[in-house]
Amino acid sequence: MDTTDHASPGGADFDLVIRGGTVYDGTGAPGVRADVGIRSGVVAAVSPAPLPVSAGTRVVEADGRWVTPGFIDTHTHYDVELLVSPGLGESVRHGVTTVLVGNCSLSGVYSDTVDVADLFSRVEALPRDAVLDALERTKSWSDAAAWRSAVESLPLGPNVASFLGHSDVRASVMGLGRSTDPERSPNRQERREIARRVDEALDQGFLGVSTMTNPWDKMDGDRYRSRTLPSTHASWKEFRQISRILRRRDRVLQGVPNLNTKVDVAFYVATSTGLLRKPLRVSLLAAADTLAEPWVNHIFRPLAWVANSLGRGRFVWQHLPTTFKVWADGIDLVVFEEFGSGREALHLKDEMARTDLLAKEGYRRWFRRDFEKRFSPRVWHRDFDDALIVACPDESLVGSTVGDVARDRSLHPADCFLDLVVEHGSDLRWTTTIANAREKVANRLARTPGVTIGFSDSGAHLRNMAFYNFGVRLLERVHAADRRGAPFLSVEEAVFKLTGELADFYRLDAGRIAPGRRADVVVIDPAGLDGESLDYHEEAMPELGGIRRMVNRNDRAVTATIIGGRVVWEDGQFAPGYGSDYASGRFLPAGRRINPAPTGSVPRVSRSAVHGQVNSTHTTATTAAATTM
């Protein structure tokens, strides 16, 4: 491979040279030792011969390291965090250079601030007061064009692309109350307005529409608390209307099916097919090997084959490439939304009222009946022998499972759990594994056609899980398997799944290292892929009320993250002013090339804009070159 810009030695100097690494270009091609030269935020040369370095050229040494396109995180809920902390450092420090927001029918584009807070907070386990405060400090837009302008005015760290949330647009047209009332449907005029707003968002470069039919995702707030999200109340006629728009525009339908019945998976498969019509790109949650239903992992490949081979569709599953392990404070965990007694407890915001409920004998009988149902649909295995106590005021319990404590106390595990929550409330912290615990199955899913890498939920469930380093985790597994002599993916295949494959499906200007492409690049040290990615850490989050969220801290794996030609993370440190004084990332419209953010020393936007000026100043959409991909 020699893709050197041969005019460069005699022309302008390189701003940055990544020297001597093994370059995986994001196409799935084998790695090649090469230098990467970057000029004005764009890859200018990829050369096996050393590139010239002048006094003004910054050099990133990559000898013995992997140089890959920046990872794409296709499933985040950064919609609110983006407004107050646009650097999104927890992802960027792990090699993510592009994030997709607006997933699971949730976005903050059309609805007002209180409605957005009620839509997001309980579903994504975010502190509602902090979400509402962040929105009140920043939000003034009410349509897709103004939302895009507001995002483009931020000192973005990574690149950002977005879906339009179906719950967001449906609530904005019908009103949140009517849109969550199972007895009400949009009238003809409202259906036309929903369609108009979808088209308007697609005109602004939105990737498509995200939907939700899962009934155990509930509203927050006091007005309509515990109602299911607006998207769950839509008819199939309404979904088909949206599908027709997306099919015509070659955009994506992102969906979450009913995780109880799973029947509507058939709708997503069918709507993707291209028999006698244009296929529709559909991305669906989730290809997972759950402990509760270990047989389910066998359906993902056949359904994708039916949709894509027989049906000539564009259907993919999203898969988390690591063990799906979660933590909980007391009973605050989304899996309790699966059954009635759990929902009843989570309906109560006040911890004292919740404690009173959990202590009542009638409630306990109900909880135990739900717990013991053998054949009820579930994601959580409901096995308290796999519920390890990691923190508790009674330190003698730390290190035991709830099942261990139940046997010591001669109690049913469900009664023992409720006793512990009544006694210790949210100070009882415990962990359990939900899915992807069987290495052989996880390896098979990662290489299955029709299964893509996603479902990190970055920016959500702050106290429950942290998968910001999902890309590092996949590479770590690939590297370890190769050293054992039992590879399941090559490095180039894994890099393609984290970069080029996703960019191609979502039609993003990302995921490649090639001359003329924007320079979003990651440098990986394989010596840092040593298992540290699974360690537990917490970090205070002042932008959202000081909540201590779970984070990842395996910083020796990613030695440099480069966004738009700018080194923003290197050797465990962010660049000065990152996420506050300048923008390294851009808003990425679907199907279009977009120039890098300016790399000069003049700040694009000051920190004050993040915390106040966004709601009073909307710049017009960027006039940088945008050509059809």
Side-chain angles (χ1 to χ4, degrees):
M1 175 179 66
D2 187 351
T3 55
T4 307
D5 175 359
H6 291 284
S8 61
D13 293 336
F14 295 114
D15 301 320
L16 173 67
V17 169
I18 307 170
R19 188 158 61 187
T22 300
V23 178
Y24 297 93
D25 64 6
T27 67
V32 177
R33 182 180 172 88
D35 284 6
V36 178
I38 296 168
R39 185 185 303 118
S40 300
V42 173
V43 175
V46 181
S47 172
L51 292 175
V53 173
S54 69
T57 302
R58 180 168 181 176
V59 175
V60 172
E61 298 291 352
D63 184 41
R65 297 172 178 178
W66 303 339
V67 179
T68 80
F71 305 149
I72 300 171
D73 192 343
T74 63
H75 194 108
T76 84
H77 292 285
Y78 275 136
D79 304 69
V80 176
E81 185 176 341
L82 175 69
L83 303 174
V84 291
S85 185
L88 303 182
E90 293 305 327
S91 289
V92 170
R93 71 193 303 151
H94 294 292
V96 172
T97 60
T98 299
V99 301
L100 275 56
V101 299
N103 285 280
C104 299
S105 86
L106 302 173
S107 61
V109 177
Y110 285 105
S111 298
D112 66 29
T113 55
V114 177
D115 286 356
V116 172
D118 288 353
L119 288 167
F120 267 92
S121 300
R122 182 168 168 183
V123 174
E124 302 306 336
L126 298 170
R128 183 180 181 277
D129 289 346
V131 169
L132 188 58
D133 177 67
L135 291 166
E136 288 176 341
R137 283 188 284 134
T138 58
K139 187 180 187 306
S140 66
W141 60 88
S142 58
D143 60 35
W147 179 89
R148 176 177 173 175
S149 293
V151 168
E152 288 181 325
S153 77
L154 295 169
L156 294 176
N159 305 301
V160 175
S162 184
F163 290 102
L164 176 65
H166 185 205
S167 287
D168 173 20
V169 66
R170 196 173 197 266
S172 70
V173 172
M174 298 177 64
L176 189 59
R178 287 184 64 239
S179 71
T180 55
D181 184 344
E183 302 300 320
R184 307 300 292 270
S185 299
N187 58 39
R188 182 177 299 178
Q189 182 178 349
E190 288 169 335
R191 288 197 302 271
R192 284 199 297 264
E193 180 60 16
I194 289 172
R196 188 196 69 78
R197 294 186 184 196
V198 169
D199 260 321
E200 179 182 72
L202 301 185
D203 288 342
Q204 290 299 317
F206 279 59
L207 302 176
V209 173
S210 66
T211 61
M212 165 75 73
T213 58
N214 185 33
W216 43 276
D217 285 325
K218 299 292 192 295
M219 298 278 294
D220 208 334
D222 298 319
R223 298 170 301 163
Y224 311 110
R225 185 172 180 82
S226 296
R227 290 189 182 184
T228 58
L229 292 176
S231 186
T232 66
H233 298 282
S235 65
W236 294 120
K237 180 177 181 180
E238 188 176 334
F239 282 122
R240 286 194 297 271
Q241 178 187 35
I242 291 172
S243 293
R244 284 194 295 271
I245 297 170
L246 299 177
R247 183 177 288 109
R248 173 170 51 84
R249 303 287 296 270
D250 195 19
R251 300 299 171 87
V252 181
L253 177 68
Q254 186 269 325
V256 183
N258 186 319
L259 297 177
N260 289 338
T261 68
K262 304 175 181 64
V263 172
D264 58 341
V265 169
F267 163 78
Y268 289 102
V269 170
T271 200
S272 175
T273 57
L275 296 173
L276 303 179
R277 62 182 182 181
K278 187 176 181 179
L280 173 63
R281 298 168 190 260
V282 173
S283 177
L284 192 65
L285 265 63
D289 176 31
T290 65
L291 274 68
E293 297 177 319
W295 59 270
V296 168
N297 73 87
H298 295 289
I299 73 172
F300 303 123
R301 181 170 186 154
L303 287 176
W305 180 81
V306 167
N308 300 329
S309 296
L310 294 184
R312 301 178 184 176
R314 299 295 305 276
F315 178 90
V316 299
W317 298 97
Q318 295 182 24
H319 170 65
L320 179 70
T322 189
T323 304
F324 201 108
K325 191 172 185 179
V326 298
W327 279 255
D329 298 316
I331 201 171
D332 284 315
L333 187 63
V334 68
V335 296
F336 288 101
E337 303 273 21
E338 286 185 323
F339 50 90
S341 57
R343 290 191 291 271
E344 184 71 14
L346 294 179
H347 174 73
L348 299 173
K349 292 187 294 184
D350 181 73
E351 188 166 352
M352 290 184 63
R354 190 181 292 178
T355 299
D356 289 342
L357 174 69
L358 269 54
K360 293 179 179 177
E361 183 57 33
Y363 176 83
R364 285 169 169 256
R365 288 196 298 269
W366 182 18
F367 186 91
R368 184 167 173 171
R369 285 196 304 272
D370 283 342
F371 184 85
E372 290 181 328
K373 287 179 182 175
R374 283 183 175 272
F375 302 111
S376 61
R378 63 184 65 188
V379 171
W380 178 38
H381 49 71
R382 302 178 199 173
D383 179 4
F384 279 127
D385 278 322
D386 186 37
L388 181 69
I389 300 170
V390 296
C392 183
D394 182 352
E395 295 184 0
S396 68
L397 300 181
V398 175
S400 299
T401 68
V402 173
D404 292 332
V405 179
R407 282 185 288 273
D408 289 343
R409 297 182 179 183
S410 299
L411 292 172
H412 187 282
D415 290 324
C416 181
F417 173 72
L418 293 176
D419 282 348
L420 292 172
V421 177
V422 167
E423 183 177 357
H424 303 294
S426 59
D427 291 331
L428 174 74
R429 188 153 175 79
W430 54 282
T431 182
T432 190
T433 298
I434 300 294
N436 300 342
R438 295 186 291 182
E439 182 179 19
K440 183 178 180 180
V441 176
N443 291 348
R444 171 166 54 79
L445 287 175
R447 64 174 181 266
T448 295
V451 172
T452 59
I453 301 302
F455 196 34
S456 72
D457 258 2
S458 298
H461 303 283
L462 303 180
R463 294 288 299 162
N464 303 133
M465 59 196 191
F467 301 122
Y468 303 98
N469 65 349
F470 68 95
V472 169
R473 182 60 188 144
L474 178 62
L475 293 178
E476 188 172 67
R477 288 174 50 213
V478 166
H479 188 51
D482 186 61
R483 286 184 294 172
R484 292 196 307 267
F488 65 96
L489 284 175
S490 66
V491 175
E492 57 265 29
E493 289 171 330
V495 170
F496 174 64
K497 293 193 74 66
L498 293 166
T499 60
E501 181 176 52
L502 300 171
D504 292 346
F505 182 82
Y506 293 97
R507 302 178 65 228
L508 289 169
D509 182 19
R512 294 285 191 274
I513 295 177
R517 300 299 291 266
R518 201 180 52 256
D520 301 326
V521 183
V522 178
V523 180
I524 303 287
D525 185 353
L529 302 174
D530 56 4
E532 189 182 0
S533 64
L534 293 174
D535 290 351
Y536 180 94
H537 301 277
E538 290 187 8
E539 185 77 11
M541 193 177 182
E543 304 90 348
L544 288 181
I547 186 173
R548 292 191 63 83
R549 71 165 163 185
M550 294 179 58
V551 297
N552 306 118
R553 286 291 188 270
N554 53 314
D555 291 335
R556 292 186 303 105
V558 175
T559 60
T561 303
I562 296 147
I563 302 176
R566 193 189 294 262
V567 181
V568 299
W569 168 265
E570 188 174 23
D571 296 331
Q573 297 291 327
F574 283 106
Y578 172 75
S580 60
D581 297 339
Y582 58 84
S584 50
R586 300 296 302 273
F587 175 79
L588 299 186
R592 294 190 177 273
R593 293 280 179 89
I594 193 90
N595 287 343
T599 57
S601 58
V602 178
R604 185 169 177 225
V605 64
S606 68
R607 177 176 293 274
S608 61
V610 183
H611 297 290
Q613 293 177 8
V614 172
N615 63 357
S616 61
T617 304
H618 292 311
T619 62
T620 58
T622 307
T623 57
T627 58
T628 302
M629 293 176 65

